[in-house]
Amino acid sequence: MSIRNKAAIVGIYEHPLRKAPDHSTPQLHAEVARGALADAGLGFADVDGYFCAGDAPSLMGMVDYLGLGDLSVMDGSEMGGASYIAAVDKAAQAIALGKCRVALVTLAGRPRQEKPQPRPNGAEGGFELPYGGSPPNSYAMVAQRHMHEFGTTAEDLAWVKVAASHHAQWNENALLRDVVTVEDVLDSPMVADPLHRLDCCVVTDGGGAFVITTPEIARELNVTPVMVRGAAHAFKGQMGGRVDLTWSAAALSGPRALEEAGVTVRDIKYASIYDSFTITVIMQLEDLGFCEKGQGGQFVRDGGLISGQGRLPWNTDGGGLCNNHPINRGGMTKVIEAVRQLRGAAHPKVQVPDCDLALVTGIGGMLGLRHSAATCILERADA
Amino acid sequence: MHDDFPAPDITPESRPFWEAAARGTFLIRRCPACGTAHFYPRSLCPICHQAETDWVESPGEGEIYTWTVMRKSPKGPFALGYLTLDEGPRVYVCFRPEDHAGLAIGKRARIVFDPVQGGARMLFATLI
Ligand SMILES: [Zn+2]
């Protein structure tokens, strides 16, 4: 059974704060939940499905805090930044099966105030944790190999940030609003070779939420429903030591989601592509089929991702690289900006004309060690 | 030698690896069914799932698959990467500080066991 057109996103909310010293994490979850429900014209009493991930203190703790009633579906599974796009997949499945009618998905946290807690590790822990590697190390290992195999350059990587900054200048909530050049990126301090500081996403507090429901309920609400046409999630690890850092799990989730949606990347008008680092974007553009493997650098060069100018309008809110990467996981904001685009509600300077079909991706975990990927295809209901 | 690195967490499954490491011996696991070696060590063969794997000694030599030097770190720069062992598996490693300037994909390197906090041994890699 397919989830194609069986569920619709009807409410979104992105917390305006990027620094939240005076909030608790559950409080932020509650604020984004209320915001997304209000956007949909629904209330907490309508919610019978709830999804959160590792940013939440706990699934049961959040259900209790939010005062949610008789939930028939709840899920707190942790896939890092991909969790919220996987939640589109899982919530749509639950709605398609009639297991719930109104699902709420929240993300929130305060990494600028307190270090996120490490999670228990498996058998790999002893062989990895003592090194103290962090996401920049992991993605840098991938970028280094990509450059070696395909001739990708630091300038190519920088073009991703340049595009994000062109979009962020119009977003009054974006953490970084200055337009930057390729030279600015290359002149920023090296964090982990070959990634410079401006190749890395921002660290932000705050959060976001969305509400997903049946097409029937969606039609009764005073919003433009955004239909889920297809979705998939996938995993890639070290493959018993056969790890190949030239591709990501988006190469698995992307084709599955596109097939379910019955569309190809050539039909996509707007792409929310997870941008924890500049290499993350180049890797996924290739893995999703927007270009040939190894050609991602060429694809983004000379403003290829700038809305109104390039070949693929992308992350028009400024993305994780400039706008918001709440609690170190960008999946939620990818869904939110895609919905804005499909509603025609993005900033006029970056709105894609007649935007009726969008692709959204998330990557969770460490691209160089083990990670999950999720992809969904969203469509304006009247399209 | 690497005082800023904590000791590795040792499990019942990984104990033989770390006991050998303390003697300077690098063990990998090999599958008697499909013949492949893998890393990190586990008793279930992650390639064919057909058999309990065996410990075998490895010279720990191979070629750098990728690397990065982390510059922004309270403990000072450190370099991570993967070493492709001659037996096949890619091993996630930290390179010795004295090798930072010479790191390059394709260069030969070898697994060594250097002391970390509390005198425990952890695997590192050095250029050869
Ligand atoms: Zn085997």
Side-chain angles (χ1 to χ4, degrees):
Chain A
M1 186 178 125
S2 166
I3 59 168
R4 183 163 158 183
N5 295 337
K6 300 279 177 55
I9 297 175
V10 291
I12 52 169
Y13 185 77
E14 181 179 4
H15 206 290
L17 289 184
R18 302 293 180 263
K19 297 170 187 172
D22 302 325
H23 280 68
S24 77
T25 293
Q27 188 180 7
L28 289 168
H29 275 271
E31 289 181 8
V32 297
R34 182 152 56 187
L37 286 165
D39 182 51
L42 292 166
F44 282 95
D46 297 309
V47 174
D48 61 355
Y50 177 67
F51 292 73
C52 63
D55 54 284
S58 77
L59 170 63
M60 288 192 283
M62 279 318 307
V63 171
D64 197 24
Y65 183 101
L66 293 172
L68 296 172
D70 183 12
L71 296 182
S72 49
V73 172
M74 50 187 143
D75 185 318
S77 51
E78 165 59 358
M79 292 172 56
S83 302
Y84 318 92
I85 291 143
V88 172
D89 190 6
K90 292 186 274 187
Q93 291 177 42
I95 288 165
L97 287 169
K99 295 287 186 183
C100 70
R101 289 156 47 86
V102 175
L104 168 69
V105 184
T106 67
L107 162 144
R110 308 161 68 244
R112 297 187 74 99
Q113 318 302 327
E114 54 200 28
K115 214 173 151 59
Q117 292 303 304
R119 295 186 169 266
N121 268 272
E124 75 283 3
F127 298 92
E128 298 178 1
L129 292 180
Y131 299 144
S134 57
N137 305 130
S138 183
Y139 287 76
M141 294 192 301
V142 174
Q144 192 83 259
R145 188 71 203 181
H146 202 277
M147 288 177 159
H148 176 81
E149 295 232 9
F150 307 118
T152 308
T153 65
E155 287 80 2
D156 294 340
L157 295 174
W159 270 110
V160 178
K161 177 72 164 197
V162 170
S165 76
H166 270 266
H167 299 149
Q169 67 178 310
W170 310 110
N171 181 351
E172 63 182 20
N173 292 324
L175 188 75
L176 306 178
R177 295 190 66 187
D178 292 341
V179 174
V180 301
T181 65
V182 167
E183 290 68 36
D184 291 333
V185 179
L186 300 188
D187 289 345
S188 68
M190 191 67 86
V191 170
D193 306 63
L195 299 180
H196 298 81
R197 187 163 75 197
L198 296 187
D199 286 302
C200 308
C201 63
V202 297
V203 174
T204 45
D205 300 340
F210 63 87
V211 178
I212 180 165
T213 189
T214 67
E216 293 72 32
I217 293 173
R219 276 192 288 272
E220 292 165 10
L221 301 171
N222 188 29
V223 294
T224 303
V226 167
M227 306 300 295
V228 181
R229 261 192 88 124
H233 51 284
F235 171 82
K236 178 172 177 256
Q238 291 186 26
M239 304 159 72
R242 270 67 183 165
V243 64
D244 176 349
L245 296 186
T246 60
W247 60 277
S248 75
L252 305 172
S253 64
R256 290 178 198 157
L258 287 160
E259 185 187 0
E260 183 167 53
V263 300
T264 75
V265 288
R266 284 178 296 282
D267 302 315
I268 299 298
K269 302 275 185 63
Y270 168 79
S272 276
I273 295 187
Y274 200 86
D275 57 347
S276 49
F277 298 89
T278 51
I279 183 62
T280 321
V281 179
I282 288 178
M283 181 72 94
Q284 290 174 90
L285 288 168
E286 297 169 355
D287 291 340
L288 294 160
F290 283 104
C291 61
E292 293 291 309
K293 179 48 75 181
Q295 301 296 306
Q298 275 184 35
F299 190 89
V300 304
R301 222 171 275 164
D302 302 322
L305 298 176
I306 299 177
S307 186
Q309 172 183 335
R311 45 181 72 85
L312 180 67
W314 156 88
N315 293 14
T316 44
D317 59 338
L321 288 167
C322 293
N323 169 34
N324 196 7
H325 196 76
I327 181 73
N328 309 325
R329 24 182 85 213
M332 175 59 72
T333 51
K334 297 296 160 290
V335 175
I336 290 171
E337 182 67 358
V339 170
R340 288 193 197 109
Q341 279 285 352
L342 293 165
R343 287 177 173 183
H347 192 284
K349 293 285 189 183
V350 296
Q351 175 69 47
V352 176
D354 192 30
C355 186
D356 55 4
L357 195 68
L359 175 147
V360 183
T361 75
I363 297 280
M366 304 243 222
L367 201 59
L369 293 174
R370 61 192 63 78
H371 67 278
S372 57
T375 307
C376 68
I377 311 297
L378 303 178
E379 185 177 34
R380 194 176 65 210
D382 59 356
Chain B
M1 176 167 183
H2 306 277
D3 288 341
D4 289 319
F5 292 76
D9 179 40
I10 298 174
T11 70
E13 191 181 19
S14 67
R15 187 171 302 282
F17 178 91
W18 296 110
E19 286 174 355
R23 302 189 304 267
T25 301
F26 179 51
L27 296 182
I28 53 177
R29 295 282 266 189
R30 187 180 289 282
C31 172
C34 69
T36 53
H38 65 263
F39 202 84
Y40 50 88
R42 63 206 98 160
S43 51
L44 171 74
C45 173
I47 311 294
C48 78
H49 308 100
Q50 294 293 313
E52 282 266 312
T53 58
D54 299 322
W55 291 111
V56 290
E57 278 191 36
S58 164
E61 294 187 2
E63 150 175 318
I64 296 175
Y65 175 68
T66 190
W67 62 275
T68 181
V69 177
M70 182 63 178
R71 317 277 191 99
K72 195 170 171 266
S73 155
K75 65 186 176 198
F78 61 96
L80 300 177
Y82 279 99
L83 183 64
T84 308
L85 296 179
D86 294 337
E87 294 93 332
R90 297 197 165 121
V91 180
Y92 178 58
V93 289
C94 187
F95 294 95
R96 277 182 172 168
E98 57 266 35
D99 290 335
H100 285 188
L103 294 174
I105 289 174
K107 276 199 180 175
R108 298 281 300 170
R110 172 168 54 87
I111 301 281
V112 290
F113 290 99
D114 288 343
V116 292
Q117 280 172 14
R121 299 281 166 156
M122 181 66 195
L123 62 168
F124 289 81
T126 189
L127 291 171
I128 50 176

